[in-house]
Amino acid sequence: MGRESRGHESRESENRTFRLVCGEAEIPAVERLLRVQGYEFRPLPFDPFARELLAEPFPLGTSFALRFGRIYIQDRSSMLPPLALAPPSGAGVLDMCSAPGSKTGMLSRMVGPDGFVLASEPSAERVGILRMNLRRYNAANVGTVRSPAQDLSLSAGRWTHIQLDPPCSGWGTLNRNPGARELWSGDKLPPLIALQKTLLTKAASLLAPGGVVVYSTCTTNVQENEEQVRWAMDNLGLVPESLERPQGFTFETPLLPGMDGVLRVADDSLGQGFFLARLRRPGALPHDVLTGAGAHDCARPGAKNALGSLPGAPLDRERLPAMQGAGPMAVESLPPGMLYESRGTLFFLHQGLLPCVEQGLRVRGFPLGRCKTLESRGGGRPGSKKMGGKKAGKGRKNGGAGGMNDRARFQVDPTARALMPSVQEAGPAAVQVDDAASLEALLQGRSLTAASADAKGPAPLYFDDMPLGWLTRKGKRLLWPEKSMIS
Ligand SMILES: C[S@@+](CC[C@H](N)C(=O)[O-])C[C@H]1O[C@@H](n2cnc3c(N)ncnc32)[C@H](O)[C@@H]1O
């Protein structure tokens, strides 16, 4: 159906863009999930996951694809910094100013399961939004820290890739925020510029020799852009590297000489006004840099020092599928790392993040669901009532180092696709839904009837063989839970 034939139902898309949240093999399924609702879009030349919206029969924010965490609405210019940083698969990335997580999500995909991202954000409200987004988008290889980035207690000189997208005056976003220029001018600017310098200084100290930081802003203000790059060159010894100009944007000439490789996206471009520079710390990469491969002893699952400093009670990952209520959990599809329980929530922490925990950071892992009767640190001894009243011998046998007894219960979060088996592995437990009407009914709270009356636990839901999430079982009825169970 063409755009015109939709009449008043079709809204103008106004150059709006989004990206697909999936692996390459799943791209056709996400596109079909959008098309069954009548969305039209086209690929963008600079990234295989980026799309431009052409027709929007319903607000994109209410689409199935968004509600199941399979697309992320993002301005095209904002997609450029992670592409400029280009961390390879397996890299460890520090994202210094990360909420709401638009760039964190891209970095998470780019580094893959062997890599990891540490995302910091000082605002309590914004770190909440960041965590909600990362959960919905299943960025299991990301750890978050609520902290100003300049206060992060991390070893100097160990990071190969840093994303620095600091607070800025936002003059490039006047289309969306017409008041930005008046709001962020005059005496509001010097503190902002000083904070950007503080964060650049911190980034330079954390970079390994040969490491790179991408500095980006959504402003056209030269003081926050080229002048900061000049300052970082003169005071921090960072060297700008030439960035290629991606197709589909209008670029302006940099406003200071001697920095030809930085990108200044024009504010009358299809995307918002943006600035980005890739800055390298000179030198050759040493061996002890942070990568997800975990060259560190403390990153080995089971290593004592790492267990001692986890932000909660550890749980052997092999034990998860045996917990009551767990269902067909594919623990093996989680990246390398550890499980821990904190305040009734079970988290996953990527092994690449363990050295950061060792350095005293309060890193929060990726939440998988709710769990009960796990032994907490300093809590019940095996066999005590606190552990479910089992006899000591049996409690130890079933709990062991994992700190869990055989009455432990796990309730997977409906959005935790990271634990979903492939549709083939799920076998008869899999629920396949391939049409819009059934998905709409599920999202409106109507139930599906389970194929087998004997099956227990949550049921994995798929569209075109692509994991969407977990349905809750109530007798023979299967329901999409209204909300995530993790706050
Ligand atoms: C431009 S936004 C980041 C957008 C984000 N990178 C994204 O792509 O979704 C800047 C963020 O920096 C945070 N921030 C403010 N002061 C900070 C500091 N000292 N250290 C780290 N982040 C800070 C703000 O709360 C805000 O969320």
Side-chain angles (χ1 to χ4, degrees):
M1 189 162 34
R3 283 174 86 176
E4 295 74 21
S5 62
R6 254 178 250 292
H8 68 276
E9 280 187 292
S10 182
R11 288 183 15 177
E12 280 307 316
S13 52
E14 294 157 1
N15 300 324
R16 286 169 58 210
T17 51
F18 60 94
R19 61 182 167 79
L20 311 178
V21 179
C22 58
E24 252 170 75
E26 290 173 328
I27 289 178
V30 182
E31 292 193 325
R32 206 173 95 71
L33 185 59
L34 286 157
R35 289 200 179 101
V36 291
Q37 285 193 290
Y39 294 100
E40 291 170 28
F41 45 87
R42 68 171 164 228
L44 291 167
F46 59 89
D47 180 42
F49 297 89
R51 297 289 180 274
E52 182 180 72
L53 190 59
L54 299 176
E56 187 182 26
F58 318 96
L60 192 61
T62 65
S63 63
F64 298 150
L66 189 126
R67 291 176 71 180
F68 286 108
R70 287 305 192 164
I71 61 162
Y72 188 99
I73 300 173
Q74 185 171 0
D75 184 90
R76 69 187 78 200
S77 302
S78 153
M79 300 181 198
L80 294 182
L83 299 175
L85 187 62
S89 165
V93 180
L94 174 62
D95 186 1
M96 291 176 74
C97 306
S98 49
S102 323
K103 299 174 188 75
T104 323
M106 288 182 72
L107 293 167
S108 159
R109 171 179 50 74
M110 292 166 87
V111 299
D114 288 336
F116 69 94
V117 183
L118 177 65
S120 64
E121 166 62 47
S123 151
E125 189 188 341
R126 290 177 66 82
V127 91
I129 297 169
L130 168 73
R131 286 171 175 162
M132 186 188 71
N133 280 333
L134 295 174
R135 187 181 67 236
R136 176 186 286 189
Y137 294 104
N138 271 263
N141 58 353
V142 180
T144 53
V145 185
R146 187 182 148 200
S147 169
Q150 66 270 35
D151 296 344
L152 291 173
S153 62
L154 290 167
S155 299
R158 301 278 292 281
W159 292 82
T160 56
H161 294 84
I162 299 181
Q163 182 91 61
L164 174 53
D165 189 38
C168 72
S169 56
W171 295 358
T173 65
L174 295 182
N175 282 353
R176 277 189 297 125
N177 309 310
R181 197 160 188 139
E182 283 74 57
L183 192 64
W184 290 101
S185 56
D187 59 4
K188 292 267 185 59
L189 284 180
L192 210 49
I193 292 168
L195 175 61
Q196 292 160 358
K197 286 192 166 69
T198 302
L199 293 169
L200 271 166
T201 306
K202 179 73 176 182
S205 77
L206 294 177
L207 273 184
V212 283
V213 52
V214 165
Y215 174 83
S216 56
T217 71
C218 58
T219 188
T220 51
N221 181 8
V222 66
Q223 292 175 288
E224 299 171 71
N225 295 337
E226 287 89 341
E227 287 186 17
Q228 296 292 40
V229 173
R230 166 66 58 204
W231 182 87
M233 292 163 72
D234 295 345
N235 294 279
L236 305 173
L238 298 179
V239 180
E241 290 193 327
S242 202
L243 287 168
E244 280 186 20
R245 296 181 161 199
Q247 282 179 48
F249 296 85
T250 311
F251 293 99
E252 289 172 341
T253 310
L255 298 182
L256 287 184
M259 47 186 74
D260 292 342
V262 305
L263 295 184
R264 175 176 267 277
V265 183
D267 59 358
D268 60 354
S269 191
L270 288 172
Q272 61 191 24
F274 228 80
F275 177 86
L276 54 154
R278 181 179 158 103
L279 305 167
R280 187 177 290 275
R281 180 178 164 191
L285 277 183
H287 293 301
D288 65 340
V289 292
L290 283 163
T291 67
H296 316 268
D297 273 355
C298 64
R300 265 190 298 112
K304 279 208 173 72
N305 51 355
L307 280 176
S309 38
L310 271 179
L315 167 72
D316 285 348
R317 49 196 278 166
E318 297 73 34
R319 294 180 191 269
L320 179 61
M323 287 167 81
Q324 288 184 29
M329 299 293 131
V331 185
E332 66 286 352
S333 54
L334 283 173
M338 305 183 75
L339 301 183
Y340 68 90
E341 178 267 342
S342 176
R343 298 184 182 186
T345 296
L346 188 67
F347 292 91
F348 167 76
L349 193 70
H350 193 283
Q351 75 170 14
L353 290 161
L354 289 168
C356 307
V357 176
E358 287 290 292
Q359 289 162 33
L361 274 197
R362 290 169 63 92
V363 184
R364 183 169 152 168
F366 176 80
L368 296 170
R370 302 286 296 166
C371 56
K372 282 194 188 142
T373 66
L374 283 176
E375 181 186 20
S376 58
R377 276 180 302 182
R381 284 173 295 108
S384 74
K385 280 228 162 105
K386 251 184 171 167
M387 281 194 64
K390 289 278 143 189
K391 287 200 175 119
K394 191 158 188 202
R396 176 60 74 195
K397 183 169 162 244
N398 289 298
M404 181 188 75
N405 68 17
D406 61 358
R407 288 168 73 181
R409 228 190 131 65
F410 177 64
Q411 206 184 349
V412 71
D413 191 81
T415 60
R417 296 193 304 264
L419 283 170
M420 282 179 69
S422 69
V423 72
Q424 291 80 11
E425 286 158 355
V431 179
Q432 276 273 19
V433 175
D434 285 345
D435 64 293
S438 306
L439 280 175
E440 187 62 50
L442 267 178
L443 290 173
Q444 284 181 358
R446 273 176 269 150
S447 61
L448 295 176
T449 305
S452 156
D454 304 330
K456 290 202 167 57
L461 173 70
Y462 303 83
F463 175 87
D464 253 7
D465 291 358
M466 174 178 73
L468 291 183
W470 295 94
L471 297 175
T472 304
R473 193 181 299 274
K474 293 212 167 112
K476 276 196 83 174
R477 293 166 61 224
L478 297 171
L479 293 147
W480 176 249
E482 180 67 10
K483 282 192 181 136
S484 161
M485 58 189 66
I486 296 159
S487 54

